[in-house]
Each structure stands twice: as C-alpha cells, then as structure tokens.
C-alpha cells in the first residue's frame, strides 16, 4: 500500500522510555473491556499547519509521526482518512478536531483529554504533558490498573528471600 509510505518514512519508533512512561496507554488498545474492537489508540495534536500523532498499537509499538499538512499528498491523506475511521483518537481540544477535519476526515471515535489546553504539534514538552494526562485516564481503568499493578505484586516482592 503506497499511501502509507510517507507515514512509514516519517514515523519514529519510540523506545523503552515511552513504554515506561505510558504503560497504560500501551495496554489500552489490547484490553477487551476498554476497547470493544481493540482499536489502536492515536493521540494527536493538530493546528492549521501541522499534525503530530502518537500511535499506540495492540502489538506494543509506539510510533510518533509529525508532518505539515502541505507535505501530505492525496495518497497520504487517503491513508489518514482510513486511520480516522478505524482508530480511537484523543485530541486536546475542538480546534485540533477542526484542523483534522479540514485536512482529512473527522475521526469517528474521538475523546478529548480533560485538563489539556491546545497543544502545538511541534511542542514536544507540551505533547508529552498531554500524553501524561491521557495515561492517567487509562490508569484509572480497573482492568488496566489490575494488570499494571496486581494487588499481590507488592507482597510477592517483599516475600522473596534475599540471596546471600
């Protein structure tokens, strides 16, 4: 599929530091009770010039993509239209939704992050704070929380004998 080649060329695979900071987001797309159809989670920031999307896949990959709208050709926009239809999107505000709608299609499954103001796509520090807010949302989900922090994990660590 040629339409996703631009995405694949520009996406950055995020490593262990992101996995450690966002374990609930990583788990959210593969937990049945959270997402009925196991949708990939897309956390996006957009304005009229640029878009940034972090994809948290059910396979455990985290891909971070940034581009200007002007760089995207019709094939790339076609691929983006597919992603807006089949993934769960988190946006910082209604303005970001409007930008995506003007340049592609509005996502069909949208959530807005509480307590987040508009995030500039190029602002990495702001984008990471925005991801922190969404991570906290998923940590409050009972199924994810139980898997991340099992009640017997603390006692298992304390009861292990210490090697001489």
């Amino acid at each position: 599929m040629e339409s996703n080649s631009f995405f694949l060329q520009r996406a950055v695979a995020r490593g262990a530091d992101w996995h450690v900071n966002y374990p609930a987001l990583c788990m959210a797309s593969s937990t049945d009770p959270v997402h009925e159809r196991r949708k990939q989670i897309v956390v996006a920031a957009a304005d009229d010039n640029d878009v940034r999307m972090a994809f948290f896949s059910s396979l455990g990959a985290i891909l971070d993509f940034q581009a200007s709208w002007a760089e995207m050709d019709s094939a790339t926009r076609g691929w983006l239209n597919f992603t807006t239809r089949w993934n769960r999107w988190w946006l910082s505000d209604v303005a970001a939704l409007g930008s995506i709608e003007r340049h592609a299609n509005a996502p069909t499954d949208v959530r807005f992050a509480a307590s987040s103001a508009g995030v500039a796509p190029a602002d990495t520090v702001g984008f990471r704070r925005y991801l922190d807010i969404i991570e906290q949302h998923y940590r409050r989900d009972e199924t994810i929380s139980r898997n991340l922090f099992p009640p017997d994990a603390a006692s298992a660590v304390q009861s292990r004998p210490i090697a001489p």
Side-chain angles (χ1 to χ4, degrees):
M1 179 182 218
E2 260 182 59
S3 61
N4 66 0
S5 62
F6 178 74
F7 170 77
L8 292 173
Q9 290 169 3
R10 295 290 292 270
V12 174
R14 294 300 180 183
D17 64 322
W18 280 49
H19 285 270
V20 169
N21 285 305
Y22 310 114
L25 259 166
C26 291
M27 187 178 285
S29 61
S30 62
T31 305
D32 282 333
V34 176
H35 300 293
E36 316 74 50
R37 294 181 307 208
R38 293 188 175 192
K39 293 180 177 184
Q40 180 169 259
I41 306 294
V42 180
V43 179
D47 58 26
D48 284 333
N49 298 312
D50 303 294
V51 64
R52 183 172 189 173
M53 300 173 277
F55 291 81
F56 293 83
S57 82
S58 60
L59 300 174
I62 303 173
L63 298 176
D64 188 10
F65 172 84
Q66 279 184 272
S68 71
W69 293 113
E71 294 175 283
M72 293 187 203
D73 62 13
S74 62
T76 303
R77 288 177 195 254
W79 168 83
L80 183 57
N81 288 337
F82 174 81
T83 67
T84 58
R85 181 178 177 136
W86 295 106
N87 297 306
R88 172 155 293 161
W89 284 67
W90 282 88
L91 299 171
S92 59
D93 57 17
V94 176
L97 176 62
S99 295
I100 292 171
E101 190 172 23
R102 277 189 293 284
H103 297 282
N105 282 336
T108 56
D109 186 348
V110 178
R111 305 289 193 278
F112 290 100
S115 305
S116 68
V119 176
D123 178 9
T124 297
V125 172
F127 192 73
R128 294 289 299 262
R129 279 194 298 259
Y130 168 44
L131 287 170
D132 291 339
I133 291 167
I134 300 165
E135 170 69 16
Q136 290 305 311
H137 166 82
Y138 282 113
R139 284 185 183 205
R140 288 189 293 269
D141 179 271
E142 184 179 334
T143 304
I144 292 174
S145 180
R146 191 174 40 249
N147 286 318
L148 285 177
F149 313 107
D152 58 344
S155 63
V157 170
Q158 292 173 353
S159 64
R160 277 192 309 191
I162 298 174

